[in-house]
Coordinates of all heavy atoms in Angstrom, one line a residue:
A23 N -5.4 -11.2 1.0 CA -5.7 -12.2 0.0 C -6.9 -13.0 0.2 O -7.5 -13.6 -0.7 CB -4.5 -13.2 -0.1
D24 N -7.4 -13.0 1.4 CA -8.7 -13.7 1.7 C -10.0 -12.9 1.5 O -11.0 -13.4 1.7 CB -8.6 -14.2 3.2 CG -7.5 -15.1 3.5 OD1 -7.1 -15.9 2.6 OD2 -6.9 -15.0 4.6
V25 N -9.7 -11.6 1.1 CA -10.9 -10.7 0.9 C -11.3 -10.8 -0.6 O -10.5 -10.8 -1.5 CB -10.5 -9.3 1.3 CG1 -11.7 -8.3 1.0 CG2 -10.1 -9.2 2.8
A26 N -12.6 -10.9 -0.8 CA -13.1 -11.1 -2.2 C -13.1 -9.8 -3.1 O -14.1 -9.5 -3.7 CB -14.5 -11.7 -2.1
H27 N -12.0 -9.0 -3.0 CA -11.9 -7.8 -3.8 C -11.2 -8.1 -5.1 O -10.3 -9.0 -5.1 CB -11.2 -6.7 -3.1 CG -11.9 -6.1 -2.0 ND1 -11.4 -5.1 -1.1 CD2 -13.2 -6.3 -1.5 CE1 -12.2 -4.7 -0.2 NE2 -13.4 -5.5 -0.4
T28 N -11.6 -7.5 -6.2 CA -10.9 -7.7 -7.5 C -10.7 -6.3 -8.0 O -11.3 -5.3 -7.7 CB -11.8 -8.5 -8.5 OG1 -12.9 -7.7 -8.8 CG2 -12.2 -9.8 -7.8
P29 N -9.8 -6.1 -9.1 CA -9.7 -4.8 -9.8 C -11.0 -4.3 -10.2 O -11.2 -3.1 -10.3 CB -8.6 -5.1 -10.8 CG -7.9 -6.3 -10.3 CD -8.8 -7.2 -9.6
E30 N -11.8 -5.2 -10.7 CA -13.1 -4.8 -11.2 C -14.1 -4.4 -10.1 O -15.0 -3.6 -10.3 CB -13.7 -5.9 -12.1 CG -12.9 -6.2 -13.4 CD -11.6 -6.9 -13.1 OE1 -11.6 -7.7 -12.1 OE2 -10.7 -6.8 -13.9
A31 N -14.0 -5.0 -9.0 CA -14.9 -4.8 -7.8 C -14.0 -4.6 -6.6 O -13.9 -5.5 -5.8 CB -15.9 -5.9 -7.7
P32 N -13.3 -3.5 -6.5 CA -12.2 -3.3 -5.5 C -12.8 -3.2 -4.0 O -12.0 -3.2 -3.0 CB -11.5 -2.1 -5.9 CG -12.4 -1.4 -6.7 CD -13.3 -2.3 -7.3
G33 N -14.1 -2.9 -3.9 CA -14.6 -2.7 -2.5 C -14.5 -1.2 -2.2 O -13.8 -0.4 -2.8
A34 N -15.1 -0.8 -1.0 CA -15.1 0.6 -0.6 C -13.7 1.0 -0.1 O -13.0 0.1 0.4 CB -16.1 0.8 0.5
P35 N -13.3 2.2 -0.2 CA -12.0 2.6 0.3 C -11.8 2.3 1.8 O -10.6 1.8 2.1 CB -12.0 4.1 0.1 CG -12.9 4.3 -1.1 CD -13.9 3.3 -1.0
A36 N -12.7 2.4 2.6 CA -12.6 2.1 4.0 C -12.4 0.6 4.3 O -11.6 0.2 5.1 CB -13.8 2.5 4.8
E37 N -12.9 -0.2 3.4 CA -12.7 -1.7 3.5 C -11.2 -2.0 3.1 O -10.6 -2.8 3.8 CB -13.7 -2.4 2.6 CG -15.1 -2.3 3.0 CD -16.0 -3.0 2.0 OE1 -15.8 -2.8 0.7 OE2 -17.0 -3.6 2.4
I38 N -10.8 -1.3 2.1 CA -9.4 -1.6 1.7 C -8.4 -1.1 2.7 O -7.4 -1.7 3.1 CB -9.1 -0.9 0.3 CG1 -10.1 -1.5 -0.7 CG2 -7.7 -1.1 -0.1 CD1 -10.0 -0.7 -2.1
A39 N -8.8 0.1 3.3 CA -7.8 0.8 4.3 C -7.6 -0.1 5.5 O -6.5 -0.1 6.1 CB -8.5 2.1 4.7
A40 N -8.5 -0.9 5.9 CA -8.4 -1.7 7.0 C -7.3 -2.8 6.9 O -6.8 -3.4 7.8 CB -9.7 -2.5 7.3
Y41 N -6.9 -3.1 5.6 CA -5.9 -4.1 5.4 C -4.6 -3.6 4.9 O -3.7 -4.4 4.4 CB -6.4 -5.1 4.3 CG -7.6 -6.0 4.8 CD1 -8.9 -5.6 4.7 CD2 -7.3 -7.2 5.4 CE1 -9.9 -6.3 5.2 CE2 -8.3 -8.0 5.9 CZ -9.6 -7.6 5.8 OH -10.7 -8.3 6.2
V42 N -4.4 -2.3 4.9 CA -3.1 -1.7 4.5 C -1.9 -2.0 5.5 O -2.2 -1.8 6.7 CB -3.2 -0.2 4.3 CG1 -1.8 0.4 4.0 CG2 -4.1 0.1 3.1
D43 N -0.9 -2.5 5.1 CA 0.3 -2.7 5.9 C 1.0 -1.3 5.9 O 1.9 -1.0 5.0 CB 1.2 -3.8 5.3 CG 2.4 -4.1 6.3 OD1 2.8 -3.2 7.0 OD2 2.9 -5.3 6.2
W44 N 0.8 -0.5 6.9 CA 1.3 0.9 6.9 C 2.8 0.9 7.1 O 3.5 1.7 6.5 CB 0.6 1.7 7.9 CG -0.8 2.0 7.5 CD1 -2.0 1.5 7.9 CD2 -1.1 3.0 6.5 NE1 -3.0 2.1 7.2 CE2 -2.5 3.0 6.3 CE3 -0.4 3.8 5.7 CZ2 -3.2 3.8 5.4 CZ3 -1.0 4.6 4.7 CH2 -2.4 4.6 4.6
A45 N 3.3 0.0 8.0 CA 4.8 0.0 8.2 C 5.5 -0.3 6.9 O 6.5 0.3 6.5 CB 5.2 -1.1 9.2
A46 N 5.1 -1.3 6.1 CA 5.7 -1.7 4.9 C 5.5 -0.6 3.8 O 6.4 -0.4 2.9 CB 5.1 -3.0 4.4
T47 N 4.3 0.0 3.8 CA 4.0 1.1 2.9 C 4.9 2.2 3.1 O 5.5 2.8 2.1 CB 2.6 1.5 2.9 OG1 1.7 0.4 2.6 CG2 2.3 2.7 2.1
V48 N 5.2 2.6 4.3 CA 6.1 3.7 4.6 C 7.5 3.4 4.3 O 8.3 4.1 3.7 CB 5.9 4.2 6.0 CG1 7.0 5.2 6.4 CG2 4.5 4.8 6.3
A49 N 7.9 2.1 4.6 CA 9.3 1.6 4.4 C 9.6 1.7 2.9 O 10.8 2.0 2.5 CB 9.4 0.2 4.9
Q50 N 8.6 1.4 2.0 CA 8.8 1.5 0.6 C 9.2 2.9 0.2 O 10.1 3.1 -0.7 CB 7.5 1.1 -0.1 CG 7.6 0.9 -1.6 CD 6.3 0.5 -2.2 OE1 5.3 1.2 -2.0 NE2 6.2 -0.6 -2.9
R51 N 8.5 3.9 0.7 CA 8.8 5.3 0.4 C 10.2 5.7 1.0 O 11.0 6.4 0.3 CB 7.8 6.2 1.0 CG 6.5 6.1 0.1 CD 5.2 6.2 0.9 NE 4.0 6.1 0.1 CZ 3.6 5.0 -0.5 NH1 4.2 3.8 -0.2 NH2 2.5 5.0 -1.3
E52 N 10.6 5.2 2.2 CA 11.8 5.6 2.7 C 13.0 4.9 2.0 O 14.0 5.6 1.8 CB 11.8 5.0 4.2 CG 10.9 5.8 5.1 CD 10.8 5.2 6.5 OE1 11.0 4.0 6.7 OE2 10.5 6.0 7.5
R53 N 12.8 3.7 1.4 CA 13.8 3.1 0.6 C 14.0 4.0 -0.7 O 15.2 4.3 -1.1 CB 13.4 1.7 0.2 CG 14.4 1.0 -0.8 CD 13.9 -0.4 -1.1 NE 14.9 -1.0 -2.0 CZ 14.9 -0.9 -3.4 NH1 13.8 -0.3 -3.9 NH2 15.8 -1.5 -4.1
L54 N 13.0 4.4 -1.3 CA 13.1 5.2 -2.6 C 13.7 6.5 -2.2 O 14.6 7.0 -2.9 CB 11.7 5.5 -3.2 CG 11.1 4.3 -3.8 CD1 9.6 4.6 -4.2 CD2 11.8 3.9 -5.0
D55 N 13.5 7.1 -1.0 CA 14.1 8.4 -0.6 C 15.5 8.2 -0.5 O 16.3 9.0 -0.9 CB 13.4 8.8 0.7 CG 14.0 10.1 1.2 OD1 13.8 11.1 0.4 OD2 14.6 10.2 2.3
R56 N 16.0 7.0 0.1 CA 17.4 6.8 0.3 C 18.1 6.7 -1.0 O 19.3 6.9 -1.1 CB 17.6 5.5 1.1 CG 17.3 5.6 2.6 CD 17.8 4.5 3.5 NE 17.2 3.2 3.0 CZ 16.1 2.7 3.5 NH1 15.4 3.4 4.4 NH2 15.7 1.5 3.1
L57 N 17.4 6.2 -2.1 CA 18.0 6.1 -3.4 C 18.0 7.4 -4.1 O 18.5 7.4 -5.3 CB 17.3 5.0 -4.2 CG 17.4 3.6 -3.7 CD1 16.4 2.6 -4.4 CD2 18.8 3.1 -3.8
G58 N 17.5 8.4 -3.6 CA 17.5 9.8 -4.1 C 16.3 10.2 -4.8 O 16.3 11.3 -5.5
F59 N 15.2 9.4 -4.8 CA 14.0 9.8 -5.5 C 13.1 10.6 -4.5 O 13.0 10.4 -3.3 CB 13.2 8.5 -5.8 CG 13.8 7.7 -6.9 CD1 14.6 6.6 -6.6 CD2 13.6 8.0 -8.2 CE1 15.1 5.8 -7.6 CE2 14.2 7.3 -9.2 CZ 14.9 6.1 -8.9
G60 N 12.4 11.6 -5.2 CA 11.3 12.2 -4.5 C 10.1 11.3 -4.7 O 10.1 10.4 -5.5
I61 N 9.1 11.5 -3.9 CA 7.9 10.6 -3.9 C 6.7 11.3 -4.5 O 6.4 12.5 -4.1 CB 7.5 10.2 -2.4 CG1 8.7 9.4 -1.8 CG2 6.3 9.3 -2.5 CD1 9.1 8.2 -2.5

C-alpha cells in the first residue's frame, strides 16, 4: 500500500513481484481446490 503503483501505472513486473504474499496467494488456491474448483 505504500508503493506508488496504480492500475494506470502499475510498475514493472519485477517491482510488483517483490511485494507478493506468496503464502496467502497459494492459500487462496488451496481453499478453492478444497471447494471443488479447478484453478
Side-chain angles (χ1 to χ4, degrees):
D24 300 326
V25 179
H27 289 176
T28 67
E30 294 73 28
E37 295 174 321
I38 299 171
Y41 289 90
V42 173
D43 184 334
W44 286 104
T47 295
V48 173
Q50 187 181 57
R51 284 142 180 78
E52 291 173 335
R53 176 178 180 272
L54 289 169
D55 183 63
R56 288 193 299 271
L57 292 172
F59 290 97
I61 301 298

